[in-house]
């Protein structure tokens, strides 16, 4: 860790090397599973932009990308069940094989809403790919096809994940010091 923001990090959970290796493995699974097809990868902004950029470069298939931004009306470190579409997709997804790319699956509130909305547009198939999963926090069940790492209930930042919009530019994933968000 040699980054100006390191001082706010309690410890590193996944190094750049860990992330690169695991992202390569997931890309390999997708490449095998979608052989002969042309998936459309949908990145849920903003948290998944770093994961998406690395993942897509390791998928050895013709594929297209699109972006969607949602905001869940959460305060601090948790989301609520209310989700607002801030930016919709540019592509027509009817008949397409979608892979929804997320940074982290937490309560499942954001994703269960989003998946319902996308399915109403009649894609051929929808699968969910998340870099991180916090199963102990799940409130809404969500079917997960590709998952990078399962983690305990820590609040993590880096590699796209933020706290108050900051720390997305850390190249690793770390646990934020509770003192940064007003904890003990
Ligand atoms: P959910 O609706 O509770 O599943 O929340 C999903 C969203 O909450 C993610 O896309 C993240 O933006 C955010 N989130 C959940 N846990 C964390 C975390 O540990 N660090 C940073 N963002 C998080
Ligand atoms: Mg966020």
């Amino acid at each position: 860790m040699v980054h100006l923001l390191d001082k706010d990090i309690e410890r590193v959970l996944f190094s750049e090397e860990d992330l690169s290796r695991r992202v390569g493995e997931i890309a390999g699974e997708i490449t095998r599973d979608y052989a002969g097809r042309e998936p459309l990868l949908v990145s849920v902004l903003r948290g998944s932009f770093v994961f998406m950029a690395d993942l897509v470069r390791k998928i050895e298939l013709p594929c297209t990308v699109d972006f969607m931004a949602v905001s869940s009306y959460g305060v601090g470190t948790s989301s609520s069940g209310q989700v607002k579409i801030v930016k919709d997709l540019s592509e027509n997804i009817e008949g397409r094989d979608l892979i929804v790319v997320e940074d982290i699956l937490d309560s499942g509130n954001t994703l269960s809403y989003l998946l319902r909305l996308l399915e109403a547009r009649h894609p051929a198939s929808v699968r969910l790919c998340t870099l991180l999963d916090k199963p102990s926090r799940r409130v809404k069940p969500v079917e997960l096809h590709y998952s990078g790492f399962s983690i305990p209930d820590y609040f993590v930042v880096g590699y796209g994940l933020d706290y108050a919009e900051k720390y997305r530019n850390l190249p690793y994933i770390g646990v934020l010091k509770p003192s940064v968000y007003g904890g003990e």
Side-chain angles (χ1 to χ4, degrees):
M1 316 214 293
V2 191
H3 197 289
L4 202 61
L5 298 174
D6 290 346
K7 63 176 179 14
D8 293 343
I9 302 302
E10 196 164 78
R11 67 195 174 87
V12 177
L13 217 49
F14 304 111
S15 67
E16 283 186 77
E17 293 72 28
D18 296 335
L19 292 165
S20 163
R21 183 184 42 79
R22 190 68 189 115
V23 172
E25 288 169 0
I26 298 171
E29 282 181 51
I30 292 175
T31 300
R32 281 191 300 279
D33 293 350
Y34 287 82
R37 288 189 284 168
E38 260 185 49
L40 168 58
L41 278 85
V42 172
S43 161
V44 184
L45 296 171
R46 280 169 267 186
S48 73
F49 80 106
V50 178
F51 176 40
M52 176 75 155
D54 283 347
L55 182 70
V56 80
R57 279 177 290 175
K58 290 176 177 166
I59 293 177
E60 297 183 41
L61 288 174
C63 64
T64 51
V65 298
D66 203 352
F67 300 88
M68 195 165 184
V70 295
S71 70
S72 41
Y73 296 96
V75 277
T77 56
S78 66
S79 79
S80 72
Q82 287 175 291
V83 180
K84 191 174 99 181
I85 295 186
V86 176
K87 180 209 172 298
D88 205 342
L89 296 172
S90 306
E91 299 290 316
N92 177 1
I93 62 170
E94 192 175 338
R96 299 296 308 272
D97 291 308
L98 298 193
I99 303 175
V100 176
V101 179
E102 252 288 24
D103 54 352
I104 186 164
L105 182 55
D106 188 44
S107 70
N109 282 325
T110 310
L111 257 290
S112 66
Y113 173 87
L114 195 64
L115 292 173
R116 251 186 298 133
L117 181 134
L118 294 174
E119 296 202 342
R121 298 179 185 179
H122 307 296
S125 67
V126 183
R127 281 186 173 186
L128 177 60
C129 173
T130 186
L131 179 65
L132 302 177
D133 181 21
K134 282 188 202 172
S136 67
R137 298 258 305 171
R138 200 79 84 252
V139 174
K140 297 250 177 69
V142 176
E143 198 186 343
L144 191 50
H145 291 271
Y146 305 103
S147 171
F149 300 99
S150 196
I151 62 168
D153 185 13
Y154 300 139
F155 193 79
V156 295
V157 295
Y159 198 71
L161 289 131
D162 74 304
Y163 172 67
E165 295 305 326
K166 288 187 284 189
Y167 306 101
R168 295 193 196 274
N169 55 323
L170 281 176
Y172 56 85
I173 290 179
V175 181
L176 197 59
K177 285 183 182 162
S179 58
V180 175
Y181 55 85
E184 70 285 358

